[in-house]
Amino acid sequence: MRSRRHPLLSALLAALFVLGAGSGLAGAPSTATAAANAAAPVRIMPLGDSITGSPGCWRSLLWDQLQKAGYTDIDFVGTLNAQSCALTHDADNEGHGGYLATTTADQNLLPGWLAATAPDIVVMHFGTNDVWSSIAPDTILAAYTKLVGQMRAANPAMKVLVAQIIPVNPSSCAECAARTVAFNERIPAWAQGITTAQSPVTVVDQWTGFDTATDTYDGVHPNAVGDAKMAARWYPALSALLTPGGPVDPEEPGSGGCSAAFRTVSAWQGGYQGEVTVTNTSATKPTSSWAVTLGLPAGSRLTQVWNGALTGTTVRDAGWNGTLAAGASTTFGFLASTSEAAGTPSLTASCAAS
């Protein structure tokens, strides 16, 4: 039996069929659309000279530490790829052996690298060859300013970590050690003057506690001990810009910032008890989770944590205390061992929330 269908209904069904075949019905996005809507990994560019480039094994240690701490949705980027380190890692980088920060700025080399790799964060240890070449701190910092301007031109929300560079003390340059000190002393004030809320510039002290006699193989380039020290210094500053498992869009509901405030509850020979207060700094949005990375003093090690889950030196919420209303706070505590000479500890605590 032939069915009877109203002409208007037939026309409507035909139109819907054509629309569905051409663009997909509402509620059934294509695979390409779903992939496009998925959060992209955070793209991190290690930038500098041979200390960053080949072999630059601090990058492999940093990558490994981030992965183990749960920061898995990241992508190291760069037009170079040095694979000579023992640990498997994402080796893409922008560490060009022999390059000067001043020459890189003068020749406008960075915009091309940025265009090719589109980083969200730049981790910069640059200026060693400038110091070695007796270039004045003002000139190097002017190059830094130009490089940061180029980063912001490529990405107005660029996050920049800038190192106070490791000591420079080769046998062929008696003045390099003092020049490094003079240059590093100028970096914090420069960074304070150029940082913005949208594009913060954070100084990472790679100089203090780094000894060219024990931590380099030639007075300039880090050995295995030096690589470990560099990775340990980068980690707290970089992880503070990341969320475990991937990036968070600051405009999405439920995302927001948080702060972490440390205090010493009690201290004794060989150890101490600490407490960290985590506060949701958003005026309107609740958090669903938080993670605090602790920058521990040398010789200090966490031995017990409560009201939180410990991975490496990062303490995440315990589940029940991850949700914080706007402006609300929670605390977690810990015990740590330390060297007998350490005294009352002074550590840093950086917080990330989603």
Side-chain angles (χ1 to χ4, degrees), residues 51 56-59 61-62 125 166-167 205-217 220-234:
I51 293 172
C57 288
W58 62 260
R59 292 183 286 105
L61 299 174
L62 179 59
H125 186 288
I166 64 174
D205 182 3
Q206 291 285 0
W207 186 86
T208 301
F210 199 101
D211 187 345
T212 56
T214 58
D215 303 334
T216 74
Y217 58 83
V220 179
H221 299 89
N223 57 22
V225 176
D227 284 329
K229 285 187 175 183
M230 291 190 70
R233 290 295 179 89
W234 284 125

Side-chain angles (χ1 to χ4, degrees), residues 27-292:
S30 67
T31 301
T33 301
N37 289 335
V42 177
R43 300 170 65 83
I44 302 165
M45 173 191 281
L47 173 64
D49 46 43
S50 59
I51 293 172
T52 295
S54 181
C57 288
W58 62 260
R59 292 183 286 105
S60 70
L61 299 174
L62 179 59
W63 173 266
D64 186 64
Q65 190 172 3
L66 289 166
Q67 296 293 301
K68 288 179 178 177
Y71 299 99
T72 56
D73 203 357
I74 59 174
D75 182 12
F76 279 12
V77 298
T79 60
L80 305 176
N81 186 282
Q83 294 281 6
S84 57
C85 302
L87 289 175
T88 300
H89 65 292
D90 183 346
D92 294 336
N93 72 94
E94 216 65 73
H96 296 262
Y99 278 39
L100 282 69
T102 48
T103 302
T104 300
D106 291 343
Q107 296 182 359
N108 293 313
L109 301 177
L110 182 58
W113 303 337
L114 294 168
T117 59
D120 304 297
I121 300 171
V122 172
V123 175
M124 186 171 86
H125 186 288
F126 217 172
T128 297
N129 292 306
D130 302 80
V131 169
W132 201 337
S133 301
S134 194
I135 295 175
D138 282 343
T139 304
I140 305 174
L141 292 175
Y144 273 20
T145 298
K146 183 174 181 178
L147 294 175
V148 171
Q150 292 171 338
M151 295 173 198
R152 289 171 173 168
N155 179 356
M158 188 75 78
K159 310 298 187 293
V160 188
L161 302 182
V162 176
Q164 288 175 290
I165 63 174
I166 64 174
V168 182
N169 192 24
S171 59
S172 60
C173 181
E175 300 83 15
C176 278
R179 291 179 199 158
T180 308
V181 173
F183 174 54
N184 279 337
E185 286 177 344
R186 299 284 301 281
I187 293 177
W190 166 84
Q192 185 177 7
I194 200 171
T195 194
T196 67
Q198 185 181 20
S199 175
V201 176
T202 303
V203 177
V204 177
D205 182 3
Q206 291 285 0
W207 186 86
T208 301
F210 199 101
D211 187 345
T212 56
T214 58
D215 303 334
T216 74
Y217 58 83
D218 60 358
V220 179
H221 299 89
N223 57 22
V225 176
D227 284 329
K229 285 187 175 183
M230 291 190 70
R233 290 295 179 89
W234 284 125
Y235 176 81
L238 181 55
S239 62
L241 302 177
L242 305 172
T243 299
V248 173
D249 184 345
E251 298 304 320
E252 285 297 317
S255 68
C258 61
S259 64
F262 164 76
R263 74 180 184 93
T264 302
V265 177
S266 60
W268 55 89
Q269 187 174 13
Y272 59 96
Q273 177 182 340
E275 182 180 83
V276 174
T277 299
V278 179
T279 302
N280 179 3
T281 56
S282 172
T284 58
K285 298 176 182 177
T287 67
S288 58
S289 65
W290 49 260
V292 173

